[in-house]
Amino acid sequence: MPLVFLLAFLFMITPYQTVLGAGSSDLLKQGMSGSKVLQLQKDLKSLGFFNSSLTGYFGEATESAVISFQKKHKISPTGNAGTITLNRINTLLKRTNTSSQQSKSGIKIVIDAGHGGRDPGTSKGSVVEKEVNLDISKMLESYLENKNYDALMTRSRDISLYKLSSLRGPIEKRELDARVNIIGKSKARLFVSVHVNSLPKNPAMKGSIVFYNSKSSKSKALALSIQKELNNLKVNGKQRPRNSIRTANFYILKNSSIPGVLVETAFITNKEERKLLTQKSFREKIAKAIMNGIENSGLAK
């Protein structure tokens, strides 16, 4: 049998389409986040396949929705949204443009998820700082991308960055230097470093605190704006403690060439706040407050 007829025959008897030709740039899969994932969730929701919150993060709920869609439309149920899946969605929604991503503003913002890899940061019980930092940072990335900012993560998974530094000496310093290098080369408008606070000597301490470099007026303006939004957060109907911005000699603040702040989102040493840090809804509130603070600061225009 000639090859062309054999191929045609195989396609006729195969019950599902395959994702041949789906380039890596077109593929959306579990673990990814951003405006493209958010748009996918919105589209699947419109088509009746996605019933969870629109987060912009490709987790199990999104994968399950994609599989359901693929089975319904006889596409190989991989759970990944490749070219064929995305094109079918666009066809059903009667789109002429197969690209679901909106044009970006061109304004870059760096999000630094503190710690990672061999450095867990502070921890207490099952709450580990590096994990909390990364989760909040991914949420912030998604929210910023949805606002058409170009969000750049210093790390998007649980890894160390010290190998990216050319410095010699302690790994801790090389880790911080690597983050400063990423920020410096980004040509971004500003950066936000996300952390969790710890104060064992005062376990009653609560709330968020934003730190900035006293030598940068733009960093101070950013800190004031983000602190205001974080101070206005309510949890379970109650107002969170209001804190003031503070100056600090942190390496990333002192050595970065663009305006930026370090946000201590909550106190892991406070029993109530430690519990909040385990809740997705609280992390989302923190991420949204930081995003609103960035927008209202006037530095991202």
Side-chain angles (χ1 to χ4, degrees):
M1 180 182 294
L3 179 60
V4 63
F5 293 109
L6 176 61
L7 290 173
F9 175 73
L10 289 174
F11 273 101
M12 288 174 62
I13 65 173
T14 302
Y16 293 110
Q17 296 180 37
T18 63
V19 289
L20 294 174
S24 59
S25 62
D26 299 321
L27 185 67
L28 301 179
K29 59 183 180 180
Q30 189 166 142
M32 297 178 70
S33 62
S35 59
K36 288 185 177 181
V37 176
L38 183 63
Q39 187 62 54
L40 173 64
Q41 292 174 338
K42 289 180 179 178
D43 292 345
L44 289 171
K45 194 177 188 73
S46 297
L47 295 171
F49 290 91
F50 189 75
N51 299 314
S52 301
S53 300
L54 300 172
T55 62
Y57 177 71
F58 201 124
E60 292 182 0
T62 305
E63 184 180 62
S64 178
V66 170
I67 290 175
S68 296
F69 176 84
Q70 290 169 333
K71 287 181 177 180
K72 173 72 174 179
H73 295 280
K74 299 189 182 303
I75 300 172
S76 181
T78 62
N80 299 330
T83 301
I84 290 177
T85 298
L86 296 175
N87 284 347
R88 180 63 62 85
I89 289 173
N90 285 319
T91 299
L92 292 172
L93 293 175
K94 298 181 179 180
R95 287 192 185 132
T96 56
N97 183 0
T98 59
S99 174
S100 61
Q101 186 179 25
Q102 297 175 322
S103 59
K104 295 182 179 180
S105 64
I107 297 175
K108 291 183 180 181
I109 297 173
V110 178
I111 306 169
D112 173 48
H115 306 282
R118 67 191 302 277
D119 175 17
T122 187
S123 63
K124 193 169 180 63
S126 62
V127 184
V128 182
E129 181 183 4
K130 67 175 183 178
E131 297 173 357
V132 176
N133 295 344
L134 183 58
D135 194 45
I136 292 175
S137 295
K138 284 185 174 181
M139 291 176 178
L140 177 58
E141 177 194 28
S142 177
Y143 295 143
L144 288 173
E145 291 275 354
N146 194 41
K147 291 282 187 175
N148 294 329
Y149 293 108
D150 188 358
L152 172 66
M153 301 273 284
T154 57
R155 69 178 182 96
S156 56
R157 53 196 176 96
D158 185 19
I159 58 173
S160 298
L161 302 173
Y162 66 92
K163 292 182 180 179
L164 300 178
S165 171
S166 60
L167 291 181
R168 294 183 178 180
I171 287 180
E172 291 76 12
K173 186 173 182 180
R174 293 165 60 193
E175 179 76 20
L176 294 171
D177 181 66
R179 295 169 190 268
V180 168
N181 289 341
I182 293 172
I183 292 170
K185 293 177 182 179
S186 69
K187 297 182 180 180
R189 189 70 56 86
L190 59 92
F191 75 89
V192 175
S193 187
V194 179
H195 289 259
V196 169
N197 220 334
S198 176
L199 194 59
K201 293 183 179 181
N202 187 4
M205 189 69 177
K206 299 179 182 180
S208 303
I209 301 177
V210 184
F211 292 86
Y212 70 99
N213 183 344
S214 61
K215 295 182 179 180
S216 171
S217 59
K218 290 184 178 180
S219 294
K220 183 177 181 179
L222 178 62
L224 283 168
S225 185
I226 293 177
Q227 186 72 65
K228 180 180 178 180
E229 295 296 328
L230 289 168
N231 282 348
N232 288 335
L233 280 185
K234 290 184 178 181
V235 179
N236 298 323
K238 297 181 180 180
Q239 181 71 51
R240 289 188 80 209
R242 296 178 183 273
N243 292 315
S244 300
I245 61 173
R246 301 182 186 181
T247 59
N249 198 32
F250 294 134
Y251 189 95
I252 198 168
L253 298 179
K254 181 181 177 181
N255 294 281
S256 294
S257 57
I258 63 173
V261 296
L262 187 148
V263 181
E264 297 280 10
T265 56
F267 282 84
I268 196 173
T269 43
N270 179 276
K271 184 178 180 180
E272 182 181 340
E273 293 214 326
R274 185 166 63 254
K275 183 178 180 180
L276 287 174
L277 285 170
T278 66
Q279 298 175 8
K280 179 181 177 181
S281 59
F282 177 73
R283 297 182 187 187
E284 287 177 338
K285 286 183 178 181
I286 292 290
K288 287 180 180 178
I290 295 174
M291 179 198 69
N292 290 335
I294 290 172
E295 283 206 297
N296 295 334
S297 71
L299 296 181
K301 295 181 179 180

